[in-house]
Amino acid sequence: MRDHPSDATQPSRRALLAGAAALLTVANPAAAQLGDILRQGGLGDVANSLDGLMKGMDFKEADELAMGTAYYERFIAQSGGRYNSRRAQEALRRFADPIIRTSLRPHLPWEVVLVDNETVNAWALPGGKLAVHKGVLRYAATPEELAAVLAHELAHAEFSHAVAQMKSKQFTSNLGGLGKQALVDRVSRGSLGSLGGTLTTELLGVLEAPIYEMVTSGYGRDLEYDADGHIISVFQRVGLDLGKAANFHKTMMQVLPKQTEETTSLYSTHPGTEKRVERIEKAVRKAKANNLAPGAPGGWAELKESFPTRRFRRA
Ligand SMILES: [Zn+2]
């Protein structure tokens, strides 16, 4: 005999929903807080609520891994696609390997890719995903210059700079009206929290464009200084000449026009690159001298065969 379905299932379903709501509150207090603001009819100051929401988000490594997985291929495609040479890709991987092996998060699924893009840029996604534009290879005159670029990007992923920047006003203001509205919709429907991480597939979709903008155009000043500072630690561990730690920054000052609008993860006017060079060189003077590794780093010769060094910027 069949049970009467509504009698049998409704109370337990209600209990389940109450449990889920409680879980959401525990898992994501910021979402609950924004939910409260919304319920009180405070749609008026959505931007402030979003700042609060992002600030209060407790991003876990699982979220960083989710971002890396969800965005890496898409961002590579958006930046110009993989450079179509297995030999060059392999050479870059070989070159980057000792640098990546300095990571204090060796369990991350580290990857590096050469992107078919002439801009002098490189970027990193949370969860250990690195990308170097071929424009960097054309202007990096020595292994130390390319190593500095990789060490800088490694630092962004290593020290979770993306999730730090996502809590800034700058990030939420880049969300745009549609992004804000979508985020608020998700929050008010209670679909923001998830177990084991705070980023759902839906939320990853909403955040994709501003995160792309963020990783390819640079972080806040302090995070950039932080990433520059890491060049020195990596050089010490890999055995590269500390005296050359700031050389790629100097190259960028030479090849990029002074009035450039180009702001990248590596080059920006705030902080100015001159200031960045000064800071790196000051830190080098304080750093312990290291033993240099013998021989040229693996992959370098192959990369330079494909990308002979240019001294002047070509449009
Ligand atoms: Zn950077």
Side-chain angles (χ1 to χ4, degrees):
M1 198 180 106
R2 280 181 66 199
D3 284 331
H4 202 287
S6 58
D7 290 352
T9 57
Q10 259 185 1
S12 63
R13 190 157 176 269
R14 218 175 287 139
L16 207 63
L17 283 174
L23 204 57
L24 174 68
T25 310
V26 171
N28 196 334
Q33 194 187 352
L34 183 52
D36 285 345
I37 294 169
L38 293 170
R39 272 189 292 280
Q40 286 155 18
L43 253 180
D45 204 352
V46 169
N48 279 344
S49 325
L50 282 178
D51 286 343
L53 168 73
M54 297 306 286
K55 266 206 192 81
M57 270 189 145
D58 178 20
F59 291 110
K60 306 259 188 329
E61 190 168 85
D63 295 308
E64 295 188 74
L65 293 169
M67 281 189 253
T69 305
Y71 299 146
Y72 196 41
E73 288 305 325
R74 295 175 65 83
F75 286 12
I76 292 168
Q78 224 175 314
S79 303
R82 281 165 194 269
Y83 180 67
N84 188 15
S85 159
R86 277 177 63 181
R87 187 166 180 266
Q89 296 289 356
E90 177 53 36
L92 179 63
R93 272 198 294 276
R94 237 177 337 127
F95 184 91
D97 187 55
I99 294 165
I100 286 172
R101 273 192 279 120
T102 66
S103 171
L104 301 171
R105 300 171 74 185
H107 55 284
L108 291 182
W110 291 98
E111 261 185 88
V112 61
V113 70
L114 180 56
V115 176
D116 198 354
N117 186 318
E118 293 292 353
T119 58
V120 188
N121 199 10
W123 45 268
L125 266 171
K129 307 295 189 194
L130 312 178
V132 176
H133 289 188
K134 68 182 181 188
V136 166
L137 298 182
R138 295 201 194 282
Y139 295 96
T142 63
E144 287 81 3
E145 295 194 25
L146 178 58
V149 172
L150 284 162
H152 176 101
E153 296 308 327
L154 178 94
H156 283 317
E158 179 103 332
F159 303 131
S160 307
H161 286 171
V163 293
Q165 182 77 13
M166 282 165 74
K167 292 164 182 270
S168 73
K169 270 201 161 32
Q170 196 187 335
F171 180 80
T172 35
S173 64
N174 275 347
L175 261 172
L178 281 177
K180 285 192 178 89
Q181 195 51 57
L183 200 50
V184 169
D185 289 348
R186 265 41 161 210
V187 173
S188 54
R189 293 212 314 268
S191 60
L192 196 57
S194 70
L195 289 173
T198 49
L199 286 176
T200 58
T201 310
E202 256 187 321
L203 193 55
L204 283 166
V206 170
L207 297 175
E208 180 172 342
I211 289 177
Y212 180 75
E213 172 71 18
M214 173 181 76
V215 304
T216 56
S217 70
Y219 299 84
R221 191 180 57 185
D222 291 343
L223 298 179
E224 293 301 344
Y225 283 151
D226 230 27
D228 284 347
H230 196 57
I231 295 170
I232 294 160
S233 334
V234 170
F235 271 39
Q236 280 174 322
R237 279 177 240 172
V238 175
L240 290 166
D241 184 353
L242 289 177
K244 297 179 178 170
N247 281 11
F248 193 73
H249 288 75
K250 291 179 186 169
T251 294
M252 280 188 293
M253 276 163 44
Q254 281 164 19
V255 301
L256 294 174
K258 274 222 155 41
Q259 304 306 326
T260 187
E261 293 284 301
E262 222 170 321
T263 298
T264 68
S265 174
L266 295 163
Y267 184 88
S268 59
T269 43
H270 301 285
T273 305
E274 247 164 84
K275 185 89 194 148
R276 290 170 72 163
V277 169
E278 262 171 43
R279 287 179 69 112
I280 295 169
E281 292 188 329
K282 194 173 163 199
V284 166
R285 284 194 295 276
K286 284 191 194 156
K288 260 204 246 146
N290 60 337
N291 296 322
L292 299 190
W300 176 250
E302 290 90 330
L303 288 171
K304 279 291 108 176
E305 269 172 40
S306 306
F307 299 97
T309 304
R310 287 181 187 167
R311 298 288 169 190
F312 301 99
R313 182 90 164 119
R314 271 186 229 162

